[in-house]
């Protein structure tokens, strides 16, 4: 049985994952408008992954015979107008998500909620990958600068993302 304090945080995180999907979809839309389709593809794939993360929380809450509480999803606050701006924001967002997951883990440890600790372990590992991926793209964009050929090649590389 999940403690009510932990359940609230799990529901909040489910909703934060849906917001993340919306944020990435908003970035993808801007990249499409800029005709940067490889970047848009990567961001759409990321949006779909965030929905999968939300569903993990959804299923876990129900598997624990608890109630899922969905909240309204806020309009994504896109910062900046360049590819570098979007991916810097993505990286900062992933660091924020890591912080939230760690705080839920801290709470589940405090509440001796062992099942939730096991459940959250996957997300802790996942966040290492999420931060590393977005940081690598930021670094690549910084190296590209305004070089159109480099930006094009990076976009082609990002368009190959399948997961």
């Amino acid at each position: 049985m999940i403690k009510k304090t932990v359940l609230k945080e799990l529901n909040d995180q489910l909703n934060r994952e849906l917001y993340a999907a919306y944020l990435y979809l908003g970035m993808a839309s801007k990249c499409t408008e800029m005709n940067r389709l490889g970047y848009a593809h990567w961001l759409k794939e990321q949006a779909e992954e965030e929905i999968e993360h939300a569903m993990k929380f959804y299923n876990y809450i129900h598997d624990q015979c608890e109630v899922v509480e969905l909240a309204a999803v806020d309009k994504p606050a896109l910062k900046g107008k360049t590819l570098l701006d979007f991916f810097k924001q993505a990286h900062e967002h992933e660091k924020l998500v890591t912080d939230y997951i760690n705080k839920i883990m801290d709470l589940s440890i405090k509440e001796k909620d062992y099942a939730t600790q096991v459940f959250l372990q996957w997300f802790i590992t996942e966040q290492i990958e999420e931060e590393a991926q977005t940081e690598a793209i930021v670094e690549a964009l910084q190296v590209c600068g305004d070089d159109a050929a480099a930006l094009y090649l990076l976009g082609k590389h990002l368009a190959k993302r399948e997961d």
Side-chain angles (χ1 to χ4, degrees), residues 12-160:
D12 287 350
Q13 188 59 35
L14 184 162
N15 287 290
R16 286 190 286 263
E17 298 290 343
L18 293 173
Y19 173 81
Y22 211 41
L23 177 67
Y24 285 121
L25 198 56
M27 291 177 183
S29 179
K30 291 295 183 188
C31 289
T32 299
E33 292 167 15
M34 297 164 61
N35 200 29
R36 297 295 189 175
L37 303 182
Y39 298 88
H41 172 77
W42 192 94
L43 290 160
K44 286 187 284 186
E45 290 291 323
Q46 188 64 27
E48 289 179 17
E49 188 173 290
E50 300 301 341
I51 292 169
E52 290 174 12
H53 295 173
M55 291 308 299
K56 287 180 183 286
F57 281 94
Y58 175 93
N59 291 329
Y60 177 73
I61 292 166
H62 278 301
D63 288 348
Q64 294 293 318
C65 300
E66 295 291 352
V67 176
V68 167
E69 293 185 23
L70 298 175
V73 179
D74 292 333
K75 179 179 178 179
L78 300 180
K79 298 177 183 169
K81 296 180 182 184
T82 68
L83 296 170
L84 182 57
D85 292 336
F86 296 144
F87 282 92
K88 279 183 176 179
Q89 183 178 4
H91 183 63
E92 289 304 312
H93 184 78
E94 291 302 337
K95 291 193 308 189
L96 181 64
V97 171
T98 297
D99 189 49
Y100 282 127
I101 296 294
N102 288 340
K103 286 179 181 175
I104 300 169
M105 177 62 92
D106 290 343
L107 181 60
S108 67
I109 290 168
K110 178 184 170 197
E111 296 286 0
K112 298 183 180 183
D113 183 342
Y114 303 111
T116 299
Q117 291 173 43
V118 171
F119 169 72
L120 290 173
Q121 192 60 55
W122 183 89
F123 286 95
I124 290 170
T125 303
E126 175 71 3
Q127 282 310 117
I128 295 168
E129 178 186 322
E130 299 284 353
E131 285 189 39
Q133 284 181 346
T134 54
E135 182 176 32
I137 296 169
V138 166
E139 290 173 358
L141 284 166
Q142 288 171 331
V143 168
C144 290
D146 292 330
D147 184 329
L151 291 168
Y152 173 78
L153 290 174
L154 179 58
K156 285 194 63 102
H157 170 73
L158 295 176
K160 295 177 182 176

